[in-house]
Amino acid sequence: MRVKDKVCILTGAASGIGRATAKLFFDEGAILILSDIDEKGLNETFELLGENNARVSIMKVDVREPDEVKEMIEYTINEYGRIDVLIVNAGVVRVGPVEEFPDEDYDLLINVNLKGTYYSCKYAIPHFKKQKFGSIITLASVAAHIGQVNHANYCSTKAGVLGFTKALALDMAPYNVRVNSVSPGATDTPMLQSDVAKQAKDRNVDYEVVKEEFEEEGVLGRWAEPEEIAAGILFLATNDASYMTGADLRLDGGWTTR
Ligand SMILES: NC(=O)c1ccc[n+]([C@@H]2O[C@H](COP(=O)([O-])OP(=O)(O)OC[C@H]3O[C@@H](n4cnc5c(N)ncnc54)[C@H](O)[C@@H]3O)[C@@H](O)[C@H]2O)c1
């Protein structure tokens, strides 16, 4: 049990990488505060955990709303008195050429991926500073490291997450709090599936054609399962990563090594 009785907050727990992370952390004994904007998906994640789930709380939280994020943090402190691990995972993708990109999609990317990361950390930081321990893990992406066609706006938010994480690691080091990011490559979740479906539609080609292109980006020649990303998140949460801070764990099947 690698995170037994560790108090772990996870955003974006209703789907994909977040759901797989919730399951892994639950199996490893964590006390979980799971949140998402999608209440139905969150309930499904909760159901998936099975029995002995008294140590799991679920909360509908929109990471774009500071008051909701604050409430999630305050609930955790009131209930458990500490935060051992904060996993800032909630995210969205929108793709398209910059000159045709709807401004509301741009705002959504910025508000969820960047501002949501900022709010999630902002309200937790005073508690981390006071307690002088803990681990913060953000979700960057291969898109933070390399360009992807029609992904300029998504890439900019993930590069922003990477910069935020590195800078925050410096601020939190004197308080014995580690701050790291994970950069997944193509991971088989509803987010990637919708991304591929849109590109296939826009280019008027089959879904499988675009899927194969994504598979070939990584040298392993396949997509990741969300559980493989969850395993990296767990590593960063534990003492196995005790000397890692300001780092980015690239779980991209070799995509960025080409
Ligand atoms: N799937 C990939 O290939 C991939 C690659 C690199 C990075 N990522 C990153 O990993 C993270 C998880 O992605 P995923 O693939 O599991 O996607 P997903 O769409 O399956 O899950 C994302 C979750 O975030 C939630 N969410 C969206 N907006 C929210 C909001 N305003 N407030 C709270 N929750 C909100 C969604 O409801 C959903 O449950 C994201 O940050 C994503 O950018 C994914």
Side-chain angles (χ1 to χ4, degrees):
M1 291 257 175
R2 285 173 288 174
V3 280
K4 185 159 170 44
D5 297 333
K6 297 285 183 199
V7 178
C8 305
I9 300 176
L10 168 63
T11 68
S15 174
I17 292 168
R19 177 173 286 173
T21 303
K23 179 82 175 82
L24 180 61
F25 275 63
F26 179 76
D27 292 345
E28 294 288 342
I31 295 164
L32 287 171
I33 297 83
L34 305 177
S35 70
D36 203 289
I37 195 174
D38 170 9
E39 228 171 349
K40 185 170 168 283
L42 201 53
N43 280 315
E44 285 166 12
T45 298
F46 184 71
E47 293 298 317
L48 191 80
L49 302 181
E51 290 172 2
N52 301 321
N53 55 16
R55 57 191 159 91
V56 182
S57 310
I58 55 173
M59 294 184 77
K60 182 174 183 293
V61 174
D62 181 341
V63 295
R64 293 169 297 182
E65 297 297 332
D67 288 347
E68 295 184 24
V69 177
K70 207 170 167 192
E71 203 182 313
M72 171 181 74
I73 302 295
E74 279 171 3
Y75 167 83
T76 306
I77 295 297
N78 290 339
E79 205 66 20
Y80 301 107
R82 66 184 196 281
I83 310 164
D84 291 294
V85 184
L86 171 66
I87 306 160
V88 186
N89 166 72
V92 290
V93 71
R94 290 291 183 276
V95 290
V98 170
E99 72 278 16
E100 292 169 15
F101 209 79
D103 285 347
E104 55 270 30
D105 282 357
Y106 185 79
D107 290 343
L108 182 74
L109 284 175
I110 296 289
N111 288 337
V112 178
N113 296 357
L114 264 184
K115 235 175 166 184
T117 299
Y118 154 64
Y119 286 144
S120 301
C121 295
K122 176 176 184 168
Y123 298 109
I125 283 170
H127 302 287
F128 278 117
K129 282 191 166 177
K130 210 161 134 194
Q131 66 188 33
K132 293 195 171 59
F133 59 81
S135 170
I136 299 174
I137 301 152
T138 60
L139 264 290
S141 169
V142 282
H145 298 277
I146 53 166
Q148 280 180 274
V149 173
N150 284 335
H151 281 69
N153 292 329
Y154 179 73
C155 285
S156 70
T157 64
K158 289 299 175 175
V161 169
L162 200 61
F164 176 85
T165 306
K166 285 195 275 192
L168 188 61
L170 303 185
D171 295 344
M172 298 306 286
Y175 300 92
N176 188 35
V177 176
R178 297 181 299 104
V179 189
N180 296 289
S181 55
V182 168
S183 278
T187 308
D188 197 357
T189 69
M191 176 187 280
L192 181 63
Q193 290 152 12
S194 70
D195 187 342
V196 169
K198 173 155 193 317
Q199 289 191 51
K201 187 167 170 260
D202 291 350
R203 289 165 48 192
N204 202 18
V205 296
D206 281 349
Y207 180 92
E208 287 303 320
V209 171
V210 183
K211 182 170 189 272
E212 271 170 34
E213 286 172 9
F214 268 83
E215 284 169 345
E216 283 162 15
E217 297 284 8
V219 293
L220 294 179
R222 64 172 177 85
W223 287 2
E225 293 301 325
E227 289 74 17
E228 295 178 283
I229 310 305
I233 295 171
L234 179 68
F235 166 69
L236 290 174
T238 67
N239 260 342
D240 289 348
S242 55
Y243 202 56
M244 271 180 99
T245 197
D248 179 61
L249 192 58
R250 295 191 195 187
L251 299 166
D252 64 359
W255 188 332
T256 55
T257 55
R258 276 191 199 280

